[in-house]
């Protein structure tokens, strides 16, 4: 904010007319300063609104329009943007068919908000798809991303989890780069966090020498729940263990993928999203 002018000194020598003129001069200068400050505030506000709109549009264009219809799997997706006073974030998801009847599931989160985060999200999403369609294993896909992010040199940090679903053999292969673990909910309501295949975030220098992956058997009728950290952060801010609470609220669940998404949102984020929340649920059919 601009600094207001100092009030006039009593240089009128007691002359009321001169004192009045000086006072009017001070008032006019103060009003001009206030108008300049207000104009600067509204120009900055409008610029922020424009950037927010561009980031939101970019994010919408780079996200999948809809999960594909794939035999053997049912999908449900929820995306809740953060508060209206925040920029679009870098949360994303993807679902795609792979060779040999497998399906790839991805959920990721680029740190920060705005156009830069949305652009980085788009780069990572396309890179994951390209590497995965080339027949790379999940750990190899994430290792390739490590090299890409390091070569780009933008300083961006991101987390992601990549899961392949083998529908013929009813198994998952999971690799995580610093991302919250998926939850597998069996048809009998048993729920477990998949913490295998976990590694460092993307963008941390130097990149890890190698990535790991975990194989997880799934019973037909099981749900695979993937999400960004905005889902568990409300519990964390309240002093609870967000992951433990997620495991608890999914335990005993019996319903569809759509109902699972609504259930965890109602339990963990009843007041809406302070940060962006992206949820992907997939049901492995018999």
């Amino acid at each position: 904010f601009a600094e207001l002018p100092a009030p006039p000194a009593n240089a009128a020598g007691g002359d009321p007319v001169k004192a009045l003129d000086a006072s009017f001069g001070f008032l006019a200068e103060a009003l001009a300063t206030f108008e300049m400050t207000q104009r600067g505030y509204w120009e900055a506000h409008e610029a922020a609104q424009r950037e927010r709109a561009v980031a939101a549009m970019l994010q919408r264009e780079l996200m999948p329009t809809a999960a594909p219809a794939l035999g053997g799997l049912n999908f449900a997706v929820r995306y809740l943007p953060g508060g209206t006073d925040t920029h679009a974030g870098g949360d994303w998801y993807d679902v795609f068919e792979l060779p040999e009847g497998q399906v790839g599931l991805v959920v990721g989160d680029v740190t920060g908000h705005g156009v830069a985060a949305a652009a980085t999200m788009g780069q990572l999403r396309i890179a994951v798809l390209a590497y995965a369609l080339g027949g790379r294993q999940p750990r190899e896909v994430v290792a390739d991303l490590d090299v890409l992010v390091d070569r780009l040199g933008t300083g961006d940090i991101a987390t992601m989890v990549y899961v392949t679903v083998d529908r013929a053999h009813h198994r998952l292969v999971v690799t995580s780069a610093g991302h919250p673990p998926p939850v597998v909910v069996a048809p009998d309501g048993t729920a477990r966090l998949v913490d295998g295949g976990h590694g460092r975030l993307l963008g941390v220098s130097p990149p890890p020498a190698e990535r790991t992956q975990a194989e997880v058997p799934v019973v037909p009728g099981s749900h695979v729940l993937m999400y960004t950290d905005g889902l568990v952060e409300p519990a964390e801010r309240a002093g609870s263990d967000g992951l433990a609470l997620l495991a608890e609220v999914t335990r005993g669940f019996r319903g569809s993928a759509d109902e699972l998404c609504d259930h965890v949102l109602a339990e963990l984020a009843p007041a809406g999203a302070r940060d962006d929340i992206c949820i992907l649920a997939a049901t492995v059919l018999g």
Side-chain angles (χ1 to χ4, degrees):
F1 290 95
E3 185 177 347
L4 289 175
N10 187 16
D15 186 330
V17 175
K18 291 183 178 179
L20 187 61
D21 286 342
S23 297
F24 272 118
F26 165 71
L27 179 59
E29 189 175 351
L31 289 175
T33 302
F34 174 76
E35 183 183 1
M36 181 178 64
T37 302
Q38 188 179 45
R39 186 184 307 117
Y41 167 79
W42 285 113
E43 287 175 354
H45 179 71
E46 289 172 2
Q49 290 286 81
R50 286 194 297 270
E51 182 184 356
R52 187 176 295 115
V54 170
M57 181 185 67
L58 182 60
Q59 186 183 47
R60 285 194 303 271
E61 292 297 323
L62 292 173
M63 293 276 271
T65 54
L70 299 173
L73 287 175
N74 282 341
F75 300 98
V77 177
R78 298 290 185 275
Y79 184 85
L80 275 71
T84 56
D85 58 339
T86 62
H87 290 279
D91 292 23
W92 92 92
Y93 76 93
D94 208 351
V95 178
F96 44 82
E97 192 156 16
L98 293 167
E100 301 180 3
Q102 299 189 46
V103 175
L105 311 175
V106 182
V107 171
D109 184 4
V110 179
T111 58
H113 293 82
V115 174
T120 300
M121 174 269 287
Q123 290 176 317
L124 293 179
R125 179 184 169 233
I126 293 170
V128 170
L129 182 60
Y131 296 145
L133 293 179
R136 309 283 281 167
Q137 289 291 313
R139 60 182 172 81
E140 296 172 326
V141 168
V142 179
D144 289 341
L145 282 180
D146 285 323
V147 176
L148 175 65
V149 173
D150 186 58
R151 294 286 177 85
L152 290 175
T154 60
D156 292 313
I157 302 294
T159 69
M160 65 163 283
V161 58
Y162 175 36
V163 176
T164 59
V165 183
D166 186 335
R167 294 172 287 181
H169 300 94
H170 298 113
R171 67 169 185 171
L172 312 176
V173 180
V174 182
T175 293
S176 172
H179 201 82
V183 179
V184 175
V185 185
D188 64 359
T190 304
R192 69 185 189 276
L193 296 169
V194 180
D195 54 6
H198 196 76
R200 293 195 310 177
L201 290 73
L202 294 168
V204 176
S205 186
E210 60 180 5
R211 291 286 185 174
T212 62
Q213 61 188 33
E215 293 190 8
V216 181
V218 287
V219 179
S222 297
H223 301 297
V224 182
L225 181 70
M226 300 159 65
Y227 52 94
T228 53
D229 59 4
L231 178 65
V232 295
E233 278 183 351
E236 300 282 353
R237 285 194 293 268
S240 301
D241 185 334
L243 295 179
L245 186 57
L246 176 61
E248 180 182 336
V249 301
T250 53
R251 192 172 296 121
F253 174 82
R254 291 179 176 85
S256 67
D258 264 313
E259 292 168 336
L260 178 58
C261 290
D262 292 337
H263 173 67
V264 296
L265 282 173
E267 293 292 332
L268 295 178
R274 178 173 174 181
D275 192 10
D276 293 355
I277 298 176
C278 181
I279 302 175
L280 170 62
T283 307
V284 183
L285 305 178

